[in-house]
Amino acid sequence: GAVVSQHPSWVICKSGTSVKIECRSLDFQATTMFWYRQFPKQSLMLMATSNEGSKATYEQGVEKDKFLINHASLTLSTLTVTSAHPEDSSFYICSASFTVSYEQYFGPGTRLTVT
Amino acid sequence: GQQLNQSPQSMFIQEGEDVSMNCTSSSIFNTWLWYKQDPGEGPVLLIALYKAGELTSNGRLTAQFGITRKDSFLNISASIPSDVGIYFCAGPGRDDKIIFGKGTRLHILP
């Protein structure tokens, strides 16, 4: 149980275009979803926290107009990287939680490369 | 800000050896989480600890919640090749957001 999927698993796009990444909880309803970014050989960096039906809470330094998050249902959250640039290239990982505990269940990640 | 310090940063061991790693903090944590991340994948929750002194096992993995609430340990017995990866400890910080350590990279020598 507690399976989270992400789509796509990898994407290559041209500079200036936008990319949408989907995160789905497959076998549970996620009260909260999280979006992380991970650079090579580094730990996870929290970008934003989202609850279904409300606006996402962004971490300091994360541009909300560049990284648009929509949490339309209890099983789906999307991250759109708008006007992507090469420096946005990274590994983006979502996670979801469904209990009052702190346990988060992660998706497999999306590798974004902006050329 | 709050930080979780993981030690060692990396380990090179022989297959079959036991592994020990730890996670420490300068502040008290009420929950400790241990995750494993394979290359190119998302982290997978291994063990969650909720009480000081708690010792919990998951197969060959055993984790302990330190009695001071400022540390946690993860042990892997009889390591196998699929144990290779990065092990992260994590816990809720003062604002309830999960903080991750920088990870311990486990390598198994051929």
Side-chain angles (χ1 to χ4, degrees):
Chain A
V3 179
V4 177
S5 70
Q6 270 184 253
H7 178 80
S9 55
W10 59 270
V11 57
I12 301 173
C13 70
K14 291 188 176 180
S15 190
T17 61
S18 296
V19 173
K20 181 186 282 189
I21 303 170
E22 291 187 351
C23 177
R24 293 181 186 272
S25 56
L26 299 184
D27 54 359
F28 66 99
Q29 292 187 323
T31 52
T32 307
M33 285 185 166
F34 306 85
W35 286 95
Y36 292 85
R37 185 173 180 176
Q38 187 177 35
F39 292 103
K41 298 190 177 182
Q42 294 197 18
S43 189
L44 296 93
M45 184 187 79
L46 180 65
M47 298 176 66
T49 303
S50 73
N51 294 292
E52 182 261 341
S54 59
K55 290 184 179 179
T57 301
Y58 290 80
E59 293 302 297
Q60 192 172 9
V62 178
E63 298 176 58
K64 61 181 180 182
D65 294 330
K66 178 162 189 65
F67 299 100
L68 300 177
I69 292 172
N70 185 289
H71 193 157
S73 75
L74 286 172
T75 59
L76 173 65
S77 177
T78 60
L79 168 68
T80 302
V81 183
T82 62
S83 187
H85 288 95
E87 56 265 31
D88 299 324
S89 298
S90 192
F91 192 51
Y92 292 88
I93 316 174
C94 72
S95 71
S97 65
F98 64 95
T99 67
V100 295
S101 76
Y102 296 103
E103 297 172 24
Q104 293 182 25
Y105 298 89
F106 286 85
T110 297
R111 173 75 57 193
L112 170 63
T113 302
V114 184
T115 60
Chain B
Q2 286 179 294
Q3 284 187 327
L4 292 178
N5 301 305
Q6 287 192 246
S7 178
Q9 288 186 346
S10 63
M11 305 179 71
F12 292 82
I13 63 167
Q14 300 280 353
E15 182 178 348
E17 286 186 22
D18 295 342
V19 173
S20 291
M21 61 187 78
N22 67 60
C23 185
T24 60
S25 171
S26 58
S27 57
I28 288 173
F29 278 71
N30 293 315
T31 298
W32 290 95
L33 306 169
W34 284 95
Y35 287 88
K36 182 194 177 205
Q37 185 177 28
D38 290 330
E41 299 287 334
V44 173
L45 181 63
L46 299 174
I47 294 176
L49 303 163
Y50 300 102
K51 289 169 60 175
E54 180 181 356
L55 187 70
T56 298
S57 293
N58 178 3
R60 293 177 295 105
L61 278 63
T62 301
Q64 183 162 24
F65 192 142
I67 56 173
T68 66
R69 295 179 175 267
K70 293 183 178 181
D71 55 13
S72 179
F73 305 88
L74 177 69
N75 296 314
I76 305 173
S77 62
S79 59
I80 60 177
S82 60
D83 291 334
V84 167
I86 306 173
Y87 292 80
F88 290 103
C89 64
R94 289 191 195 93
D95 53 4
D96 260 8
K97 291 176 186 172
I98 297 297
I99 300 171
F100 286 84
K102 294 187 177 181
T104 291
R105 285 161 177 73
L106 180 63
H107 306 269
I108 295 184
L109 299 169

